[in-house]
Amino acid sequence: MISLTRRLTLTYVLFISLALVVLTFMVNQITRQIFTGLIKQNIAEKNNDIVRVISEQYNPNSDSFDSAAIEAIGMYFIHEGYILTISDERGDCIWDARSHNMRECMEVVESIAARMEGEFRVSGSFQRQQYPIRRAGQLVGNLSVETYGPFFYSETETLFLSSVNRLFLIAGLAFVLLSVIISMLLSRAIAHPILKAEEAARQIAAAHSSGNGNRQNLKIRLSDRYKTKELAGLSRSINELARELEEGDRRQKQLVSDIAHELRTPLTYLQGSIEAILDGVWVMDRKHLASCHEEIMRIIRLVQDINTLTNLEWEHINLDKTEFDLAELLRITAEQFKAAAYKKGVAITLNLIPSPIKADYDRLKQVFINLLSNAIQYTDQGSVAITIEPSSKSRRISITDTGSGIAPEDLPRIFERMYRADKSRSRSTGGAGIGLAIAAAIISAHGGTISAESGAGGSVFRVFLP
Ligand code: ADP
């Protein structure tokens, strides 16, 4: 497979070269056309000049041409590529370049033909043009001018054209070289961030799939300070991906260590109790068995909670939505906690209004069970109030207690898995810090939000269901 840099470079170079060839061809054609027009005009003017100069050599007094001057003019023009023949008005030859200097004429003719056909690809032949020579309006002779037709370039013009062509060639080569360099730089500028992103994605994937090895690579972050929008976006997406994976990795590690920690306490207790019974320190009576049973139940509850949370967080939650009255659900749930609240001397007050809703009844019940059990658990005196706030479109429920409250530094984290605000207290209350995480997952599956506020006078948990 061809690399991106090479492909971009080749495309740019090909495109620029093609544009250059087309441009050069067009410029060349146009220049040549203009130049040829000028040359043809120049030849015609020169022919007229020759006629004028020859006519000036006529002497009316002697009714003859100055033969020495005619010869000088004729010889001069042979070198310019003009083969002259001058005759008088009766047609008798006065001077003929060919018969005068045959060898030189042939040399000039051959060199012009070779130059025009070889160098300029203009195939033609020597053509003769006749001009009458007049003096004071009277015909005094005839001039025949033989030149290479349709047109020809003089030595100076040939030299000029060759240098122009050479200049074109050098400029073209320099331009192609420059375009190759620019193409390479441009391709590298585009391909470099893509290659870096590819490399980073590969390292991140390898880090994610490896057990412990290159976990450090999840910390890879790419620079997103590119001027191209798409490249900056690509880097940002890779960074976002790495951040998400790193966060997932961190949470996974945290969960495993939290679970191990939660299991260690009851298991240690069970181990100690069983060893005490085996050693005969304890008798296997109802009291000791009951406390062992309680620890086992704690482990079972923990495993069930973790299972519920994992299902909620990792699998798509299939909500079994039915229509029911939210007030009725809250009333039934509160009823379940009446005895526990009464035991603690805590009052439960209900401020409910009929609120029909379409939601998953059992899962919402789980949410309010978790919230209410916390409210009663962490309240030693006072009351717990369950309120449905009036709202036509959404459902807003608040559960307010007059309990111990939550410290401001814990408040933002209480919805995290296995986060307990008060570690020492949890042993007696028995919570593993999963209840609120379960509640949050269920509410979010319903498209709602859950939040908490707390102060010295207690806590308020607000549930918003759209
Ligand atoms: P737990 O099973 O430990 O109660 P949760 O996820 O339900 O776990 O709650 C997480 C933590 O939030 C609790 O350990 C507790 O410290 C704090 N918390 C929850 N509800 C209340 C409340 N009503 N009053 C005071 N603290 C609370």
Side-chain angles (χ1 to χ4, degrees), residues 43 112 116-117 122-127 146-152:
I43 293 170
I112 289 179
M116 291 308 287
E117 277 165 29
V122 177
S123 57
S125 59
F126 271 79
Q127 294 158 6
E146 230 182 297
T147 50
Y148 188 87
F151 65 92
F152 73 100

Side-chain angles (χ1 to χ4, degrees), residues 374 378 401 405-406 414 419-421 425 431-436 459 461:
N374 279 351
Y378 300 116
D401 65 55
I406 304 160
I414 53 167
Y419 187 81
R420 289 191 316 245
R425 191 178 56 189
I434 295 180
L436 287 181
S459 318
F461 282 82

